Amino acid sequence: MNYIWEVVGRQPTGQQPSGAETIQKLCDRMASSTLLEDRRDAVRAIKSLSKKYRVEVGTMAMDHLLRILQSDRTDTEILGYALDTLYNIVCSDEEEEPEENQQKQEDDLGARFTEEFIGEPDNITLLLTLLEEFDFHVRWRGVKLLTVLLKSQCAPVQSIVLVSPMGVSRLMDLLADSREVIRNDGLLLLQQLTKGNTAIQKIVAFENAFERLLEIITEEGSSDGGIVVEDCLLLLLNLLKNNSSNQNFLKEGSYIQKMKPWFEVGDDNSGWSAQKVTNLHLMLQLVRVMVSPVNSPGATASCQKAMFQCGLLQQLCTILMATGVPADILTETINTVSEVIRGSEVNQDYFASVNAPSNPPRPAIVVLLMSMVNERQPFVLRCAVLYCFQCFLYKNHKGQGEIVATLLPSTIDASSISAGQLLCGGLFSADSLSNWCAAVALAHALQDNLTQKEQLLRVQLATSLGKPPVSLLQQCTNSLSQGSRVQTKVGLLMLLCTWISNCPIAVMHFLHNQDNVPFLTGQISENLGEDERLVQGLCALLLGICIYYNDNSLENYTKEKLKQLIEKRIGKENFVEKLGFISKHELYSRAAQKPQPAFSAPEHMLFDHEFTKLIKELEGMITKAVLKSSEEEKKEEEVKKTLEQHDSIVTQYKELIREQDCQINELKEQVASLTSQSETLQSTVTQQFSQMQQHKDQYNILKLKLGKDGHVNSLQTEEQSRLRKKLEELQRQNQLLQTQLTERDSLMTSLVCVCVCVCASESVPQFEETLCISEQHSNFCLKELSSATSSAAVMQTEKSKLQQELQESKKEQDDLLMLLADQDQKILSLKHRLQDLGETVRSSGFLWCVSKLLRLILALDLTFSLRLKMRMIWMQGTSLTTMMMMKRKKSVMNKKELTS
């Protein structure tokens, strides 16, 4: 320690200062030194004295050390010394093993300095900030200091960390540190941090803790790993136990599937290390946390389903039937399988199909029951098998029927051992624990199952050779009266109470034996010891059930007669008092807490969890039934009848309401469907409205772009008006010309007729004379004919020209029609475009009429001009003929004049 004296400025000669004086000088040096090296040396010296002078250092140096942590953040060495010193102050020396009183003083001193340290919440925040330093000594010592603070004052430190910005996230970063020492100590820190704090547990889980922890477990070798795997499993248990949110997060994240490889065991299971046993035990506990009966039914059912689907249940059953598995692992595996199948029909059916690898194969249930009724098996293993059997039958009417069926005469197979035979054998064996376990197991086969209660009445047992068989019910009562042990009596009484409750036929069979009621009344009325008081209470319960569920079918044991018998031999008050002994028993409240049988010793196994529920249900009703007078009974019967009538009415209304509920549900579904359709249509309308708006915008843009086309359209409209007027004018001209043509045709017809008549009426001489006269004028006529022929040739030439013009006109007409068709197509495309843009477009019939009229005008114009020219040719021919006839008449007149 020479360097300490060098720091304080004195040599170890002469009288040495006390530890307190040395520490005070070192504290002054820390507070007053301006050089970092001096402060570092002072802190190192205090660190070396902190274990020996823990009180003095904690009292005088803590504030100085905290200031060092704040001011000298850049020097990692001095930070490491300061953190080590604070750790020595708040934590007792783990290397030594002090006496009990000294250990208590050390713990009190650590709690005192811890309270002083966390009295200022900023100190914890400062410590969390230092954990971000990557330097090994700073980070590791900070983790150790925070861990010991949590061990000493867990709740206050948790509260400070919870409200610190990114406090939990900084601690979660420790799991990602590549240095295993820091990572492993980080696991210990998170274990302390997550104890009993649901909020921190949720934050840690949502910081991807499950993924990282499962990776570490896999990296470390799963169940074959070391202490690190154990630390990871303990942290997982902290995160999941009694935390439904984290359990759901684990299930939804598909992490259950990643747990399956943990339970893969080989054929050779000998020589398991203690660490492997510990790891596998924690893994099984982790599975049980997910399917614990204290969880919500929905969460448990979903986890059970996931475990079956991923093959985890099948893997657990493999361990269950494997050889060489350590006893405590086998016991915990049985308990785990029990809770994985409890209340799950699919899992229960699978478990019923599991066979042990024996020759011949036997059902796993039979093999387990053989262990339960074997008194040489460990007590905890027998309790685990009983719990497994109870969970297999829990809400499993199918499984209950299969167990009871193995006891019925028609299904007994003499060549193999069945579950029913094992239960009957254990029920009447010499081992009281086997009696109790078999009675409770058989009671669970009857739980809430009226059909199996009635079926079990058919079971007959062969007691000895030469004697007739007796019923199972009678054999149970015979065993009660034979002076058995208390544990055996309690088990048989629980079985009988469960059997005949809510089953009038079983009550009748029980009362039919004349010895049963006197035995019960004798047991209740006797003054027995403390151990027998529970048996008296159960006898009172059994007799009360015989009263409450009595259908009065036996004349000697009606409800009223049994009540009179109680009043005479026991006394009603005494009966009620004895009945109340059951619920006041200390083991009763322990059994009522959870379904799993958890007893410290075999003699403490007296109550079953499901039976405690039956007691709660029946105790009050039996008390009222016994204390009622006959008049009250009659009134109650009348009220009961009235209530039954009302119940029938209520049932009718319930059915009506149920039907209406179904209708309402159907209507709700329709409303939901229509609402969905409406929302879809509304969305479509909104989308179409948006599209229409876009189209309108596009239309406005196109309208601006098509301004020129609009001008053309207006010109086309003016042209159409002009053509319409021209058409009307041409129609009037055509009508006028047609009228004139008709008149001229009629005139020519009349002239031809006149000519014919004149020629026919003339005589031959006259004709000859006329011919002579004509001959005189023949030369003139030939000249005229030659002129007409010349005119005809000219007209033929004109006709050819007209035909050529006709062909050219047709060609021009076709070209014009092509142009009109193109124009129509363009107008039609514009119309469709406007309609797509959402605009209303008026009918284009007018344009079509105009187009047709244009075609008609062209056709009429061509035909009219041709006919007009042909008419002119014809008129010229007609005029020539007329001139010839006029000349002929003139010659005839001249001849007549000469003759005269």
Side-chain angles (χ1 to χ4, degrees):
M1 295 181 61
N2 290 335
Y3 74 93
I4 298 177
W5 306 114
E6 293 176 0
V7 171
V8 299
R10 296 189 56 180
Q11 298 294 328
T13 58
Q15 184 179 1
Q16 296 182 357
S18 63
E21 294 175 352
T22 304
I23 293 169
Q24 183 61 50
K25 289 182 179 182
L26 291 173
C27 291
D28 295 339
R29 179 66 60 87
M30 281 193 299
S32 60
S33 295
T34 57
L35 295 177
L36 178 61
E37 291 79 4
D38 293 341
R39 294 196 300 274
R40 187 189 303 126
D41 291 339
V43 175
R44 182 169 63 245
I46 288 181
K47 173 198 167 187
S48 64
L49 297 173
S50 58
K51 290 186 178 180
K52 185 176 181 180
Y53 299 101
R54 184 181 177 190
V55 178
E56 291 80 359
V57 173
T59 305
M60 292 185 286
M62 182 177 288
D63 293 338
H64 297 290
L65 293 171
L66 291 172
R67 279 194 291 271
I68 290 291
L69 294 177
Q70 293 174 349
S71 60
D72 294 327
R73 291 282 300 276
T74 58
D75 187 71
T76 57
E77 186 177 358
I78 194 173
L79 291 178
Y81 293 150
L83 290 172
D84 260 349
T85 306
L86 290 171
Y87 176 81
N88 293 335
I89 293 172
V90 299
C91 180
S92 59
D93 193 353
E94 298 178 355
E95 297 178 359
E96 300 179 359
E97 294 183 0
E99 297 179 357
E100 184 177 354
N101 294 334
Q102 185 179 356
Q103 180 65 39
K104 185 176 180 181
Q105 292 177 0
E106 294 287 341
D107 293 341
D108 293 341
L109 191 60
R112 168 192 160 190
F113 288 128
T114 301
E115 290 179 0
E116 184 178 345
F117 184 90
I118 67 175
E120 184 60 42
D122 291 340
N123 294 337
I124 299 295
T125 305
L126 175 62
L127 190 55
L128 292 172
T129 306
L130 292 174
L131 291 179
E132 294 180 345
E133 293 288 341
F134 186 74
D135 183 78
F136 175 80
H137 296 285
V138 175
R139 201 172 202 188
W140 180 50
R141 288 162 178 165
V143 170
K144 293 178 64 178
L145 176 58
L146 187 56
T147 304
V148 75
L149 291 173
L150 282 165
K151 287 181 179 179
S152 180
Q153 298 289 331
C154 186
V157 178
Q158 285 176 333
S159 302
I160 298 172
V161 172
L162 189 60
V163 299
S164 297
M166 300 296 292
V168 179
S169 299
R170 291 170 180 169
L171 299 178
M172 282 299 300
D173 292 339
L174 298 173
L175 297 183
D177 200 306
S178 59
R179 295 161 293 192
E180 292 188 0
V181 175
I182 295 178
R183 184 199 67 182
N184 297 342
D185 283 345
L187 287 171
L188 299 176
L189 170 59
L190 290 171
Q191 285 181 25
Q192 298 297 325
L193 182 68
T194 55
K195 281 185 177 179
N197 193 305
T198 305
I200 293 180
Q201 291 169 1
K202 292 180 180 179
I203 296 173
V204 171
F206 282 96
E207 287 285 345
N208 207 25
F210 293 137
E211 182 74 27
R212 182 59 186 143
L213 291 173
L214 291 175
E215 288 177 357
I216 295 174
I217 291 172
T218 303
E219 292 171 0
E220 296 291 331
S222 297
S223 60
D224 294 323
I227 189 67
V228 177
V229 173
E230 180 182 351
D231 292 337
C232 290
L233 293 170
L234 289 172
L235 179 54
L236 284 171
L237 284 172
N238 282 355
L239 295 176
L240 293 172
K241 197 169 185 178
N242 300 323
N243 193 319
S244 58
S245 176
N246 284 359
Q247 292 172 8
N248 185 63
F249 184 69
L250 182 75
K251 178 182 68 67
E252 295 295 335
S254 300
Y255 294 113
I256 292 178
Q257 290 81 339
K258 297 181 181 180
M259 296 163 62
K260 179 187 173 184
W262 297 351
F263 304 101
E264 293 178 355
V265 296
D267 296 332
D268 185 13
N269 297 309
S270 59
W272 284 24
S273 64
Q275 186 62 55
K276 181 174 182 178
V277 172
T278 302
N279 291 344
L280 198 56
H281 195 275
L282 291 173
M283 290 172 178
L284 292 169
Q285 286 185 358
L286 195 61
V287 175
R288 293 187 64 185
V289 165
M290 298 296 295
V291 292
S292 174
V294 300
N295 296 343
S296 63
T300 300
S302 60
C303 290
Q304 289 172 334
K305 181 179 179 181
M307 290 177 182
F308 175 76
Q309 291 176 344
C310 73
L312 180 58
L313 174 60
Q314 294 84 331
Q315 202 67 47
L316 293 174
C317 290
T318 302
I319 298 176
L320 197 66
M321 296 291 105
T323 57
V325 178
D328 52 348
I329 294 298
L330 180 60
T331 302
E332 189 64 21
T333 304
I334 294 173
N335 289 327
T336 305
V337 171
S338 304
E339 294 181 349
V340 173
I341 68 173
R342 187 176 188 268
S344 174
E345 182 179 356
V346 175
N347 294 4
Q348 289 168 339
D349 290 342
Y350 170 77
F351 183 70
S353 66
V354 176
N355 289 324
S358 59
N359 191 15
R362 288 178 177 173
I365 297 175
V366 173
V367 175
L368 292 175
L369 288 177
M370 291 172 68
S371 300
M372 186 186 72
V373 297
N374 188 348
E375 58 183 319
R376 291 191 296 270
Q377 293 293 336
F379 171 66
V380 290
L381 178 63
R382 299 175 72 181
C383 291
V385 173
L386 176 61
Y387 183 47
C388 184
F389 191 75
Q390 292 173 347
C391 292
F392 169 68
L393 297 178
Y394 182 71
K395 294 183 179 180
N396 185 8
H397 285 194
K398 178 183 176 182
Q400 290 175 328
E402 292 173 352
I403 296 299
V404 173
T406 60
L407 288 166
L408 299 178
S410 58
T411 58
I412 292 178
D413 185 5
S415 62
S416 61
I417 300 176
S418 65
Q421 293 173 356
L422 289 171
L423 291 176
C424 283
L427 190 62
F428 304 112
S429 68
D431 179 31
S432 60
L433 183 59
S434 296
N435 301 152
W436 190 91
C437 290
V440 171
L442 196 55
H444 277 262
L446 306 175
Q447 194 76 37
D448 299 327
N449 196 326
L450 180 61
T451 302
Q452 303 310 322
K453 291 178 181 180
E454 295 176 355
Q455 288 293 321
L456 199 63
L457 295 172
R458 298 169 49 200
V459 176
Q460 301 289 320
L461 300 178
T463 56
S464 59
L465 293 174
K467 291 186 178 180
V470 298
S471 67
L472 176 62
L473 183 66
Q474 184 58 44
Q475 185 63 26
C476 290
T477 56
N478 293 341
S479 297
L480 276 175
S481 60
Q482 290 174 1
S484 305
R485 296 179 182 179
V486 172
Q487 191 174 40
T488 302
K489 289 183 178 179
V490 170
L492 291 172
L493 286 169
M494 286 195 298
L495 172 61
L496 291 172
C497 290
T498 305
W499 191 348
I500 70 173
S501 65
N502 201 22
C503 184
I505 297 177
V507 171
M508 182 188 69
H509 278 74
F510 181 78
L511 295 176
H512 192 268
N513 189 334
Q514 302 294 329
D515 297 330
N516 290 342
V517 173
F519 169 75
L520 293 178
T521 54
Q523 287 286 318
I524 299 170
S525 60
E526 288 183 6
N527 293 321
L528 302 176
E530 186 70 24
D531 294 338
E532 295 288 340
R533 296 181 68 182
L534 178 59
V535 176
Q536 288 182 315
L538 291 172
C539 290
L541 178 65
L542 182 59
L543 186 57
I545 292 173
C546 292
I547 295 174
Y548 189 79
Y549 291 105
N550 195 330
D551 58 359
N552 296 325
S553 58
L554 294 177
E555 184 178 356
N556 294 332
Y557 294 109
T558 60
K559 287 185 178 181
E560 188 61 31
K561 290 184 177 180
L562 288 174
K563 288 165 62 176
Q564 293 175 359
L565 184 64
I566 289 173
E567 188 173 2
K568 291 179 181 178
R569 296 190 179 181
I570 304 171
K572 291 183 178 180
E573 291 77 9
N574 189 25
F575 178 86
V576 172
E577 183 182 359
K578 297 291 178 67
L579 182 62
F581 286 162
I582 304 174
S583 56
K584 296 177 182 179
H585 200 282
E586 59 177 352
L587 296 177
Y588 171 88
S589 58
R590 186 182 302 175
Q593 292 176 0
K594 57 182 181 179
Q596 181 183 1
F599 304 100
S600 57
E603 57 270 14
H604 293 160
M605 293 186 71
L606 294 177
F607 287 103
D608 173 58
H609 177 74
E610 293 297 327
F611 185 71
T612 60
K613 295 181 181 179
L614 181 66
I615 294 172
K616 290 180 182 178
E617 178 185 352
L618 295 177
E619 185 177 0
M621 296 187 297
I622 291 174
T623 301
K624 291 180 181 179
V626 171
L627 295 178
K628 286 177 186 176
S629 62
S630 58
E631 295 179 357
E632 291 176 349
E633 190 83 18
K634 292 179 181 178
K635 290 181 180 179
E636 185 174 349
E637 288 292 333
E638 294 176 357
V639 172
K640 189 175 181 180
K641 291 180 181 179
T642 306
L643 289 176
E644 288 177 355
Q645 295 176 355
H646 287 294
D647 288 342
S648 63
I649 298 173
V650 170
T651 303
Q652 295 176 359
Y653 277 112
K654 284 183 178 179
E655 293 177 355
L656 178 62
I657 292 171
R658 192 176 296 109
E659 293 176 358
Q660 292 177 348
D661 285 341
C662 294
Q663 296 176 358
I664 290 172
N665 291 332
E666 292 177 358
L667 292 174
K668 284 182 178 179
E669 291 177 358
Q670 295 178 4
V671 168
S673 177
L674 293 174
T675 303
S676 176
Q677 295 178 5
S678 175
E679 291 175 354
T680 305
L681 293 175
Q682 185 67 29
S683 175
T684 305
V685 169
T686 304
Q687 184 178 2
Q688 291 180 351
F689 181 79
S690 176
Q691 293 177 355
M692 287 176 61
Q693 190 65 34
Q694 294 177 0
H695 291 161
K696 284 184 178 180
D697 295 340
Q698 294 176 1
Y699 167 72
N700 292 330
I701 295 172
L702 291 172
K703 193 173 181 181
L704 294 175
K705 291 182 178 180
L706 295 174
K708 184 177 180 180
D709 293 342
H711 179 65
V712 172
N713 290 337
S714 64
L715 293 178
Q716 289 178 352
T717 304
E718 294 177 0
E719 182 68 19
Q720 291 169 0
S721 301
R722 187 180 65 78
L723 291 174
R724 191 185 301 108
K725 292 179 180 180
K726 184 178 180 179
L727 177 63
E728 292 175 355
E729 183 178 356
L730 290 173
Q731 285 177 345
R732 287 195 299 270
Q733 292 177 0
N734 182 45
Q735 188 175 3
L736 179 60
L737 290 173
Q738 287 288 345
T739 304
Q740 293 176 358
L741 183 62
T742 303
E743 292 176 355
R744 291 186 182 187
D745 286 343
S746 62
L747 179 60
M748 287 181 65
T749 303
S750 61
L751 288 173
V752 171
C753 292
V754 170
C755 291
V756 172
C757 293
V758 168
C759 293
S761 61
E762 287 181 347
S763 61
V764 174
Q766 290 176 344
F767 179 74
E768 290 177 352
E769 290 179 359
T770 304
L771 182 60
C772 290
I773 295 171
S774 298
E775 286 177 357
Q776 294 176 359
H777 298 281
S778 60
N779 294 327
F780 177 78
C781 294
L782 288 171
K783 292 179 180 179
E784 293 293 333
L785 180 60
S786 176
S787 176
T789 303
S790 177
S791 300
V794 172
M795 287 188 290
Q796 184 66 31
T797 302
E798 291 181 356
K799 178 181 178 183
S800 300
K801 292 181 179 179
L802 289 172
Q803 288 178 348
Q804 185 177 358
E805 291 178 0
L806 176 61
Q807 294 296 329
E808 293 176 355
S809 299
K810 284 183 178 181
K811 185 177 180 181
E812 292 176 357
Q813 182 183 8
D814 292 338
D815 294 338
L816 184 58
L817 289 173
M818 289 292 293
L819 292 173
L820 286 172
D822 293 340
Q823 186 67 20
D824 288 343
Q825 188 64 31
K826 184 177 181 181
I827 293 171
L828 184 61
S829 63
L830 290 173
K831 172 187 173 183
H832 289 167
R833 192 166 183 180
L834 289 173
Q835 287 177 347
D836 292 339
L837 293 173
E839 291 293 325
T840 304
V841 182
R842 296 183 179 177
S843 175
S844 60
F846 174 71
L847 297 177
W848 181 82
C849 292
V850 171
S851 175
K852 291 294 183 180
L853 287 173
L854 287 174
R855 295 189 184 95
L856 181 61
I857 289 167
L858 291 173
L860 289 173
D861 191 16
L862 177 62
T863 305
F864 178 74
S865 62
L866 183 60
R867 290 185 63 184
L868 183 61
K869 290 183 180 182
M870 294 294 293
R871 179 66 65 183
M872 290 175 65
I873 295 170
W874 182 82
M875 288 176 66
Q876 288 178 2
T878 304
S879 62
L880 180 60
T881 305
T882 304
M883 288 174 64
M884 291 176 66
M885 291 185 69
M886 289 295 292
K887 288 179 179 181
R888 187 176 179 182
K889 284 182 180 182
K890 187 176 180 181
S891 65
V892 172
M893 291 295 292
N894 290 331
K895 185 179 180 182
K896 285 182 179 182
E897 288 179 358
L898 290 175
T899 304
S900 61

